[in-house]
Amino acid sequence: MRVAVSPASRIFDTDPMPSLLDLNAYLGIQPQALELQSRRMQVLADNLANVDTPNYKARDIDFQAALAAAGGAAGGPGAPVRLATTDARDIGAAAGADGSPALKYRVPLAPSLDGNTVDAQLEQAAFADNTVRYQATLSFISTSLRNLMTAITGS
Amino acid sequence: MSSFKIFDVAGSGLAAESVRLNTVASNLANADSVSGDPSTVYRARHPVFEAVRAAVAAGLGPASAGFGAGGDSASGAAVRVSGVVESTSPPQVRHDPGNPLADAQGNVYAPNVNVIEEMTDMISASRAYQNDVEVMNTSKDLMLATLKLGE
């Protein structure tokens, strides 16, 4: 007899065929990754808009840590919400109590006189990188949904 | 949908940079507007940018699943022009007795506009403007792709 399990953990059940009606479990971490990438896009847009604002400090999201936290919140693997530092320059800041990703300040390569730490080229590169990742996540979700449709229509 | 705020932020960047371009145009146009009185001569104008975090952050909705935007970690820092300041450097004095505007000493006063500074400022402003346009375009493309998800 099968026991009812929480939706988030069903995908990690020993049963190789997850319940296809549970879209959250079916899509896995991808929707959360998409939302995180969308937020990162917002943060990078902030940086680019303030490229000439005196004393503005560029910020960014520690993607890996935030995603790990999200996976933990969703009951996925790596459930303990612990933010790892992925770079020597990272500040070991914890995420907000509500699980929001911690925004970290960039360490400027060449500080400018007006106190602004936005490096337009670096931000542009990060924005392009994030765009590609967003599109990759989109196509993952899209493919999953198409597979589902194939299974449903059987053609 | 939080992505719409990108348009607000990038739009504020466009507005601010166009104000900057406007002051550059004004400064360059008046670079040779001489005057007979140093107190009335045109002075170079420069916008002062300021990040507006609170106004945009207040518009951020409640924490959504997993990725809330709360407290200090809230993103959404638009930019605005907090004011336009006039350069305080002294005007250039030119000895030109033939000029009808010349004062008793035969001097006219030219604006303290540094044309080279203005040109570099213009390039910087237009690059920043282009960046913001690029951000808007990319965000729009991604949002449209998201809308088409599953098709």
Side-chain angles (χ1 to χ4, degrees):
Chain A
M1 189 185 114
R2 292 203 52 193
V3 223
V5 286
S6 70
S9 62
R10 196 173 291 164
I11 190 103
F12 305 108
D13 205 350
T14 47
D15 189 345
M17 276 289 288
S19 166
L20 288 184
L21 289 175
D22 189 349
L23 266 182
N24 280 338
Y26 177 64
L27 294 174
I29 196 83
Q30 303 293 351
Q32 280 155 316
L34 197 68
E35 193 173 341
L36 186 54
Q37 277 149 355
S38 164
R39 284 218 54 207
R40 183 162 186 238
M41 189 158 69
Q42 163 93 50
V43 174
L44 295 175
D46 294 345
N47 291 345
L48 280 169
N50 284 289
V51 72
D52 291 312
T53 307
N55 293 319
Y56 179 86
K57 309 296 180 206
R59 299 183 299 174
D60 199 356
I61 291 176
D62 185 347
F63 192 87
Q64 201 172 351
L67 199 62
V81 184
R82 191 180 57 79
L83 297 188
T85 50
T86 55
D87 190 296
R89 290 178 295 171
D90 281 352
I91 307 166
D98 57 350
S100 61
L103 288 176
K104 295 178 179 178
Y105 289 100
R106 271 203 213 293
V107 178
L109 290 172
S112 63
L113 278 177
D114 63 357
N116 184 305
T117 62
V118 180
D119 182 336
Q121 282 73 35
L122 200 145
E123 301 296 338
Q124 252 184 325
F127 195 85
D129 171 271
N130 193 53
T131 302
V132 175
R133 285 171 198 276
Y134 190 96
Q135 280 167 333
T137 309
L138 268 186
S139 63
F140 274 127
I141 297 177
S142 206
T143 310
S144 299
L145 292 178
R146 263 206 303 280
N147 288 345
L148 199 56
M149 285 307 290
T150 310
I152 292 171
T153 57
S155 55
Chain B
M1 189 170 176
S2 70
S3 301
F4 281 109
K5 276 183 212 75
I6 296 180
F7 291 96
D8 293 345
V9 170
S12 75
L14 293 182
E17 296 299 343
S18 68
V19 167
R20 188 166 162 213
L21 280 173
N22 225 326
T23 58
V24 169
S26 165
N27 292 344
L28 287 177
N30 285 292
D32 287 315
S33 309
V34 295
S35 165
D37 182 356
S39 64
T40 60
V41 71
Y42 178 88
R43 289 175 179 276
R45 286 152 196 227
H46 296 112
V48 179
F49 287 1
E50 182 187 60
V52 272
R53 191 155 299 153
V56 179
L60 287 175
S64 54
F67 299 104
D72 283 344
S73 66
S75 64
V79 61
R80 74 184 176 104
V81 179
S82 62
V84 177
V85 294
E86 291 195 332
S87 168
T88 53
S89 60
Q92 307 166 40
V93 184
R94 290 183 193 158
H95 187 66
D96 186 6
N99 194 312
L101 290 171
D103 62 6
Q105 287 81 43
N107 290 334
V108 290
Y109 301 89
N112 53 0
V113 174
N114 184 334
V115 177
I116 297 166
E117 226 172 68
E118 298 300 329
M119 292 301 282
T120 51
D121 210 25
M122 182 183 77
I123 294 169
S124 167
S126 71
R127 289 283 180 269
Y129 193 97
Q130 285 167 349
N131 262 350
D132 282 332
V133 170
E134 201 61 44
V135 167
M136 269 187 160
N137 273 335
T138 308
S139 313
K140 190 195 75 182
D141 288 348
L142 289 183
M143 283 170 75
L144 288 177
T146 313
L147 284 176
K148 287 190 197 134
L149 193 63
E151 273 183 19

